[in-house]
Every structure is written in structure tokens, then in C-alpha cells.
Amino acid sequence: ETGVTQTPRHLVMGMTNKKSLKCEQHLGHNAMYWYKQSAKKPLELMFVYNFKEQTENNSVPSRFSPECPNSSHLFLHLHTLQPEDSALYLCARSQVGGEKLFFGSGTQLSVL
Amino acid sequence: GQSLEQPSEVTAVEGAIVQINCTYQTSGFYGLSWYQQHDGGAPTFLSYNGLDGLEETGRFSSFHSRSESYGYLLLQELQMKDSASYFCAVGQAGTALIFGKGTTLSVSS
């Protein structure tokens, strides 16, 4: 148990849909992350939030839009996605400046 | 930019010892971490080497040499449950981790 809960676990969406992924943690860690994991590729860092402020945007297309309303919740809003966006999307938390990441179980996204 | 290299696959038998190497190219000082991921699961933290040297935790050990930009994960007394993907990752304090492509370890009986 990593203290990070992601919903939904699985999501199938069409290219014209709008959906949101949710990540929740209640351990008081102030850094939260979105990673993308595609088959045969390394985990790709997408966004970083420190103390609710976005500190990194790793050249992610604008069809992915993150939101961090408070230190316990992180969202990834999705719209007009492409089939190549199908992947496992992982949320993680850490102490700010910490080297140890705690990952959620991820959302397996399929874009049709 | 930063890049990490690790073998894509390793196979071994139960009870054996396996070493998974990781080399990296970065522009500054980085700590080296290792994560384990079983099929269908999330990556879980195994170890972190902020300084040079060897860290031991049970059957797993991790080594890091900053001067050589190199490290390894050593798994001893392999068990079937150790079959998983292992990722090395680098990061400075205050920055997010960058991950390698992962090494798939298959342990057979």
C-alpha cells in the first residue's frame, strides 16, 4: 500500500471524448507527479507539482491538462486524445526534494 | 539531456545471483534509485544511493559510482516472485526522477 489511489483503473475513450483521471493521497507529501508508461518505453515524466504549483511540464501536448486543487488531489484532464496516447498513466507522490517516489496503481487508458 | 542504459532482459534460475547494470549520462550530480514493477502493478521503490558505495537490504543490494556514472542492482537467492521489471532512475534533490527503459527479469525453477 503506497498511500496513492488512482481512479479509474481502466478507461476506454474515443478521440472526441473528454475524461479526467484522478489521483488522491493523504500522507501529507507535497510533491505529486504524472508519469506515462507505454509498452517498451521508459516511464516518461509528464508533470510535477510542488506545493500545488506546477514546476515541470515535460513538453506534454496541450490535450493533457493537469490540475492540482489541493495537496491531496491531482487530476489529469484529457481531451481529443490520439490512439498513440493509449498507455498506463501513473500518479506518484514524494516529499519535496525527496528521492523516493510512491506510485499509485495507475489508469490503463485505451484511446479508440 | 539525461539518458540511462540498462539491459532489456535477464534470465536466471531460482537460487542464483543476478546483477543488473545501469549507466547514465547527466549534466550534474544525481542519486541512483531502483524500482521493481510486477506485471499489471505499479513501480515500487527498492533502493536509493545518494553517495558512492554499496547499500544492502536483505537479498537486494545496490551500488553506485558517481565518478563512473554507473550503478547496479544485485539480487541474491533468487525466487520466482522476483520475476519482474527493474528500473534504474536518476534525480537530483528537488527534481523528478528520470527512468531507464527497464530490465525484465525472468526467474525459472
Side-chain angles (χ1 to χ4, degrees), chain A residues 25-45:
Chain A
Q25 64 98 2
H26 296 287
L27 296 180
H29 286 181
N30 288 305
M32 297 186 78
Y33 313 79
W34 281 114
Y35 279 87
K36 175 184 177 183
Q37 187 175 31
S38 305
K40 308 291 185 184
K41 288 187 177 181
L43 283 85
E44 301 171 51
L45 178 65

Side-chain angles (χ1 to χ4, degrees), chain A residues 6-7 26 28-30 50 54 63 68-69 86 89 99 106 109:
Chain A
Q6 287 189 245
T7 53
H26 296 287
H29 286 181
N30 288 305
N50 287 333
Q54 188 181 129
R63 57 186 184 269
C68 188
S86 298
Y89 289 85
E99 68 283 344
L109 173 67

Side-chain angles (χ1 to χ4, degrees), chain A residues 2-66:
Chain A
T2 62
V4 181
T5 303
Q6 287 189 245
T7 53
R9 290 295 307 273
H10 302 274
L11 179 63
V12 179
M13 59 187 289
M15 289 189 286
T16 58
N17 292 158
K18 290 184 180 181
K19 297 286 184 184
S20 295
L21 310 184
K22 180 180 177 182
C23 176
E24 193 170 353
Q25 64 98 2
H26 296 287
L27 296 180
H29 286 181
N30 288 305
M32 297 186 78
Y33 313 79
W34 281 114
Y35 279 87
K36 175 184 177 183
Q37 187 175 31
S38 305
K40 308 291 185 184
K41 288 187 177 181
L43 283 85
E44 301 171 51
L45 178 65
M46 301 176 72
F47 301 104
V48 182
Y49 277 82
N50 287 333
F51 296 101
K52 301 186 295 178
E53 297 296 323
Q54 188 181 129
T55 56
E56 284 190 52
N57 175 338
N58 209 25
S59 302
V60 180
S62 59
R63 57 186 184 269
F64 295 92
S65 174

Side-chain angles (χ1 to χ4, degrees), chain A residues 2 9 33 35 37 40-43 45 48 50 56 88 90 97-101 103-106, chain B residues 9 33 35 37 40-45 48 87 91-102:
Chain A
T2 62
R9 290 295 307 273
Y33 313 79
Y35 279 87
Q37 187 175 31
K40 308 291 185 184
K41 288 187 177 181
L43 283 85
L45 178 65
V48 182
N50 287 333
E56 284 190 52
L88 180 68
L90 292 158
E99 68 283 344
K100 182 175 178 179
L101 295 182
F103 285 88
S105 298
Chain B
E9 293 182 10
S33 303
Y35 286 76
Q37 185 178 28
T44 56
F45 174 84
Y48 172 75
F87 296 87
Q92 289 178 318
T95 67
L97 296 183
I98 306 300
F99 285 81
K101 290 186 178 181

